[in-house]
Amino acid sequence: QVQLVESGGGSVQSGGSLILSCAVFGYTYSLDCMAWFRQAPGKEREGVATIASDGATSYADSVKGRFTISEDKAKNTLYLRMNSLKPEDTAMYYCAAKYVYCSGSSLYNYWGQGTQVTVSS
């Protein structure tokens, strides 16, 4: 079993930065893909960024050049560095993990509880 615990959310002004963390607990050795998703009120959940076990990363077009996904395997922690934040980045941010490679439409096996990010103009 794997547990994901996000932290680092908060309120920031437009143009500001935040770093989200996702601590991963449990048997993590078979996890092949870690990801960040977000969901704003009244909107569908959307993928923000993924990182595969080989280090390959991918980003949604809306965050490319502003967000960076990374992981510290020694600390079992996933990060999302968010720069140049915009009001439209306001959402609940979730980390997720699955046992298969990031590409494809397979469902994620584990989800965190979420951390709120609010960007004011």
Side-chain angles (χ1 to χ4, degrees):
Q1 189 70 4
V2 172
Q3 184 181 10
L4 307 177
V5 180
E6 301 98 333
S7 61
S11 296
V12 64
Q13 289 193 327
S14 181
S17 298
L18 282 174
I19 299 176
L20 304 184
S21 299
C22 173
V24 185
F25 301 96
Y27 189 77
T28 64
Y29 296 103
S30 297
L31 294 174
D32 265 344
C33 179
M34 302 290 297
W36 286 98
F37 288 80
R38 67 185 181 186
Q39 187 167 20
K43 295 187 177 181
E44 291 188 355
R45 185 176 61 198
E46 64 171 340
V48 175
T50 65
I51 185 165
S53 56
D54 63 2
T57 59
S58 68
Y59 297 91
D61 288 342
S62 58
V63 306
K64 278 181 182 176
R66 299 188 299 122
F67 291 10
T68 302
I69 188 171
S70 63
E71 61 180 346
D72 185 331
K73 293 187 177 181
K75 294 182 178 180
N76 281 342
T77 302
L78 178 73
Y79 301 98
L80 184 69
R81 180 171 185 84
M82 306 184 294
N83 294 329
S84 303
L85 282 161
K86 306 174 180 179
E88 51 263 44
D89 294 318
T90 295
M92 185 71 79
Y93 283 71
Y94 301 89
C95 65
K98 61 182 178 180
Y99 292 112
V100 295
Y101 204 67
C102 293
S103 60
S105 59
S106 57
L107 298 178
Y108 283 79
N109 301 97
Y110 304 103
W111 293 85
Q113 82 289 349
T115 185
Q116 178 68 37
V117 171
T118 303
V119 184
S120 58
S121 57

